[in-house]
Amino acid sequence: MQKLLTGRGPLFKTHHPSGRRTLKPTLLVLALALLITGIFPLAAFANPLNETISREDQAVIRQVILENYVIDIDPAKLETITVDSLAVLLDENSYYLPDWYMQELMEEYSGEFEGIGAYIMEDGDRIIIAEPMSGSPAEAAGLLPGDQIVAVDSKSLEGLTVDDAVRLIKGPAGTEVRLYIRRAGHENPVIFNITRQQIVVSSVSDRVFDGMIGYLEVRQFSDHTTEYTQKAIDNFRASGITKLIIDLRGNPGGLLMEGVEFSRLFIPRGPVVHVFYREGSITYSSYLGEEPFENIVVLVDEDSASAAEIFAAAFKDRGNGIIVGEPTYGKGSVQRLYPLPSGAGFKLTEAIYLSPDYATIDGVGINPAINMLRFHPNHDPEKLLPLEINRKPLVGQQGEDIAAAQQRLRNMGYPITDPAGAFGPSTQEAVKAFQEDQGLFPYGVLDFSTQRRLQRAYISWLLAPEQDMQLTTALYYLRGNRSSHVGVEPVPFGSPVVNQ
């Protein structure tokens, strides 16, 4: 099955911290790119330079390049095709995909996966559980955020990447995987036997603020994205919702036609995007009569790319609202995915696209009307110290783990005057206050339970709408406070949650 794609990079995902910028898909956990175990890795794979392409696959690749590549290629340069030669000859978005890679990519489009359902991430040289998915086998088994995976089915993860771990944990539904977990407070690894299941993940989620403002997060454009969005729109309108926030932050793109069909739900009648192939062009248009919402704010960031930029560009040119956030990635090309005889795949750039007003997207991106950071500079997740839960610090001790705990407590509004890394009286009082707020015994010791609770509480606090300055600005705008984005400040921990 051939598919027209717009997503950037391998698997269209945010690069791992070893690559370019990260962030910040659905779960923002310590600014590290996450993986969904049994779903799909969000980290980009390196080109498999050690892969050998069969002669049958070479013949297909040669033919589609000559017929469809966005620019003409001298046939003499295609006499011998290798992964290395393709990397030199073609653009960065055209490449060979080995069979396992092709399978993962097709799973991504379908939104259905087989595994345990847990977000995992790299934390230094450790691979840890970031969060089990609600209702997943991982949650039912009792996996917790911060659990370190040290082995899978007796195979040590030492020296392996998070991608390697994902492939070990994934497997057919109904089969069992054994995880060896190092958990704070346990001397020996805890063993979890988990039966894999079929996991269905929607690319769209929604909620309502103030009883009058709809919120729609679109994580990528895969199969059924438009279908899920239409259902959300119907529910919003049935509830009398007249204003909407569309969150495309961290959305790396995906299927071209899903991006177009999604745009047709919101963009007034007229052009949505102009796509230019080597032999001609196509203009995709919207046929929308009545717009479903009286005012919309679109949220974007540096990882909003491709199909997300198609919509953002059309919205900027012709929509009924504004864009808030950071300049987008700037990928303005279209690829087609070809299955190969061996079961592998080949992705080829076949077109570029321009906005309805013929503005260039590639290498430029889209500038929001209100350009601002997502987090207050003091709370930038990339500046967060790692909280390694491996001891119980006491008053008078020093260490990086104490500094990490202090950083989280300060950010959440607990006053600390002790030097960073020094467990003094004000740190002890802050720990006591936090323990009391969390229903723990308030004795001022950073025990394992308190540190785990602090880790979870901080993530929840950071991800709350009140800490999201872009979202807060969108809400203020839709309430009519058009200039209220100036001087937006984070909300202290424990403040009542408004806007719910």
Side-chain angles (χ1 to χ4, degrees):
M1 178 185 297
Q2 298 178 10
K3 289 182 178 285
L4 279 174
L5 321 172
T6 67
R8 67 176 176 85
L11 282 191
F12 309 156
K13 295 302 175 197
T14 342
H15 290 280
H16 193 264
S18 61
R20 61 175 295 278
R21 51 200 179 202
T22 63
L23 211 89
K24 287 135 185 157
T26 310
L27 287 179
L28 262 171
V29 183
L30 313 188
L32 295 177
L34 302 184
L35 304 181
I36 304 179
T37 306
I39 298 180
F40 48 81
L42 297 183
F45 292 100
N47 278 336
L49 300 181
N50 58 339
E51 290 284 335
T52 301
I53 304 177
S54 69
R55 289 189 177 183
E56 293 80 5
D57 286 358
Q58 287 187 48
V60 174
I61 292 172
R62 183 179 299 107
Q63 178 182 356
V64 299
I65 291 175
L66 292 174
E67 293 179 356
N68 300 314
Y69 192 49
V70 67
I71 59 174
D72 287 320
I73 295 288
D74 182 357
K77 296 181 179 180
L78 296 170
E79 291 181 0
T80 301
I81 292 178
T82 66
V83 173
D84 293 309
S85 68
L86 291 175
V88 172
L89 188 62
L90 306 178
D91 68 288
E92 63 180 1
N93 295 301
S94 300
Y95 44 81
Y96 171 82
L97 300 85
D99 52 2
W100 59 267
Y101 197 155
M102 182 70 169
Q103 180 181 354
E104 289 185 346
L105 193 55
M106 298 311 294
E107 284 181 348
E108 179 184 346
Y109 295 137
S110 69
E112 297 183 4
F113 312 91
E114 296 180 338
I116 68 170
Y119 295 87
I120 70 173
M121 69 181 189
E122 288 184 7
D123 181 20
D125 58 356
R126 305 184 306 156
I127 296 175
I128 68 172
I129 300 292
E131 183 175 342
M133 295 178 63
S134 177
S136 69
E139 181 184 60
L143 291 178
L144 298 174
D147 282 345
Q148 179 186 357
I149 309 172
V150 295
V152 178
D153 289 334
S154 300
K155 181 175 178 58
S156 172
L157 297 189
E158 185 176 357
L160 299 184
T161 67
V162 73
D163 299 330
D164 298 326
V166 167
R167 295 188 193 102
L168 290 172
I169 297 171
K170 286 175 62 177
T175 61
E176 189 174 83
V177 61
R178 174 173 292 187
L179 301 187
Y180 294 78
I181 299 295
R182 180 170 291 128
R183 178 175 290 177
H186 294 263
E187 183 176 351
N188 298 315
V190 183
I191 299 175
F192 291 83
N193 295 310
I194 306 175
T195 300
R196 302 176 177 103
Q197 293 180 9
Q198 186 80 6
I199 298 171
V200 179
V201 180
S202 172
S203 58
V204 176
S205 60
D206 61 88
R207 62 182 297 185
V208 175
F209 291 92
D210 294 350
M212 58 177 281
I213 300 174
Y215 170 83
L216 188 71
E217 180 186 16
V218 184
R219 290 177 284 277
Q220 68 175 28
F221 291 95
S222 54
D223 289 337
H224 310 299
T225 295
T226 304
E227 175 187 343
Y228 295 144
T229 301
Q230 183 63 67
K231 290 179 181 178
I233 291 174
D234 293 342
N235 291 335
F236 285 149
R237 299 196 70 179
S239 301
I241 301 298
T242 60
K243 301 176 182 180
L244 181 67
I245 297 170
I246 300 176
D247 192 345
L248 299 178
R249 293 175 297 181
N251 185 318
L255 301 177
L256 171 64
M257 290 313 301
E258 283 292 332
V260 170
E261 293 298 334
F262 176 88
S263 299
R264 287 170 171 164
L265 299 178
F266 302 99
I267 303 302
R269 185 186 304 274
V272 168
V273 63
H274 307 288
V275 182
F276 293 84
Y277 295 86
R278 192 170 72 191
E279 303 298 335
S281 64
I282 299 175
T283 295
Y284 293 100
S285 296
S286 171
Y287 311 102
L288 183 65
E290 179 185 358
E291 297 177 45
F293 300 95
E294 68 181 35
N295 205 345
I296 299 175
V297 175
V298 176
L299 302 179
V300 297
D301 65 9
E302 60 184 8
D303 292 311
S304 304
S306 294
E309 291 177 292
I310 286 177
F311 173 77
F315 184 80
K316 183 174 184 178
D317 285 354
R318 308 183 53 250
N320 58 331
I322 63 168
I323 300 177
V324 174
E326 301 167 82
T328 61
Y329 184 86
K331 179 182 176 293
S333 61
V334 178
Q335 289 71 41
R336 190 183 300 272
L337 183 62
Y338 291 91
L340 298 174
S342 68
F346 180 61
K347 189 154 74 80
L348 182 69
T349 297
E350 298 191 358
I352 61 170
Y353 62 84
L354 303 178
S355 80
D357 289 350
Y358 293 94
T360 298
I361 308 300
D362 202 55
V364 177
I366 298 152
N367 290 314
I370 299 177
N371 191 339
M372 64 185 305
L373 297 174
R374 179 169 186 167
F375 297 103
H376 189 280
N378 293 342
H379 302 159
D380 184 349
E382 295 186 9
K383 298 177 182 177
L384 191 65
L385 300 173
L387 180 58
E388 297 184 1
I389 307 172
N390 52 25
R391 66 166 181 160
K392 295 186 284 187
L394 303 173
V395 174
Q397 293 183 325
Q398 297 185 355
E400 292 185 1
D401 53 349
I402 297 172
Q406 289 173 325
Q407 185 182 34
R408 288 161 174 77
L409 290 167
R410 281 197 189 100
N411 286 353
M412 291 193 295
Y414 295 95
I416 295 176
T417 58
D418 300 323
F423 200 148
S426 67
T427 301
Q428 184 181 39
E429 290 303 312
V431 172
K432 285 182 180 180
F434 173 77
Q435 289 171 329
E436 187 171 5
D437 290 341
Q438 294 290 310
L440 302 173
F441 180 67
Y443 71 127
V445 176
L446 271 172
D447 56 31
F448 293 137
S449 178
T450 299
Q451 291 180 68
R452 285 198 298 268
R453 186 68 65 87
L454 177 59
Q455 188 78 290
R456 293 197 297 270
Y458 187 77
I459 292 171
S460 297
W461 173 83
L462 185 65
L463 293 176
E466 293 78 19
Q467 310 313 323
D468 187 334
M469 297 197 301
Q470 295 167 351
L471 176 58
T472 300
T473 296
L475 290 168
Y476 285 168
Y477 177 89
L478 291 176
R479 294 182 189 124
N481 304 316
R482 301 302 174 89
S483 299
S484 59
H485 64 283
V486 177
V488 174
E489 292 291 336
V491 178
F493 182 70
S495 298
V497 177
V498 294
N499 311 328
Q500 297 295 315

